[in-house]
């Protein structure tokens, strides 16, 4: 990720620009989790009533599905309706934890310091 960085310590700055980008990541991750669980599995043919005839899932299903395989897991998630819970939960967890994790190593002390004679690049230099 191309965060706006402090010129002195080169850590990501704790500023409005970076926080806005982080919020977009959080919202995007949560939304993607809901979309994958709620829409993608049924669209691929992993439905509540099993594999949908003529679907992508039906096309790749072999004569014997091995327990624990990716196909078996997706089939179970689709048949139980748990896909939205699993993928939505992953998205929500990232959404909750990302703000805390991202701020752990962000620059708070030397950013925008007139005394140190440096200012952040805005917008970030490429």
């Amino acid at each position: 990720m191309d965060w706006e960085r402090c010129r002195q310590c080169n850590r990501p700055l704790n500023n409005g620009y970076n926080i806005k980008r982080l919020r977009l990541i959080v919202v995007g991750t949560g939304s993607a989790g809901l979309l994958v669980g709620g829409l993608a599995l049924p669209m691929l043919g992993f439905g509540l009533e099993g594999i949908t005839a003529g679907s992508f899932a039906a096309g790749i299903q072999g004569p014997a599905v091995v327990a624990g395989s990716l196909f078996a897991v997706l089939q179970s998630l689709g048949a139980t309706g748990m896909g939205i819970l699993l993928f939505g939960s992953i998205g929500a967890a990232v959404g909750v934890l990302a703000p805390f994790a991202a701020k752990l190593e962000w620059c708070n002390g030397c950013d925008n310091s007139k005394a140190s004679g440096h200012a952040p690049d805005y917008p970030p230099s490429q």
Side-chain angles (χ1 to χ4, degrees):
M1 178 118 271
D2 187 28
W3 299 107
E4 185 176 309
R5 296 190 172 272
C6 174
R7 290 182 187 171
Q8 186 174 354
C9 66
N10 200 35
R11 293 185 299 172
L13 290 168
N14 186 4
N15 62 11
Y17 179 79
N18 285 344
I19 297 298
K20 182 178 179 181
R21 292 184 76 186
L22 182 62
R23 287 181 184 145
L24 290 173
I25 293 169
V26 169
V27 170
T29 305
S31 300
L34 291 174
L35 287 175
V36 168
L39 298 176
L41 288 178
M43 285 176 55
L44 290 172
F46 297 101
L48 290 173
E49 297 177 4
I51 302 301
T52 306
S55 67
F56 173 78
I60 63 169
Q61 183 177 17
V65 175
V66 178
S69 67
L70 178 61
F71 188 90
V73 170
L74 293 175
Q75 185 177 7
S76 296
L77 290 173
T80 59
M82 297 299 278
I84 195 166
L85 293 177
L86 174 69
F87 293 110
S89 298
I90 291 169
V94 169
V96 169
L97 298 176
F100 299 108
K103 286 187 178 184
L104 291 177
E105 293 295 322
W106 285 27
C107 176
N108 289 313
C110 57
D111 57 335
N112 295 322
S113 172
K114 296 190 190 269
S116 65
H118 76 279
D121 291 332
Y122 190 83
S125 58
Q126 297 294 332

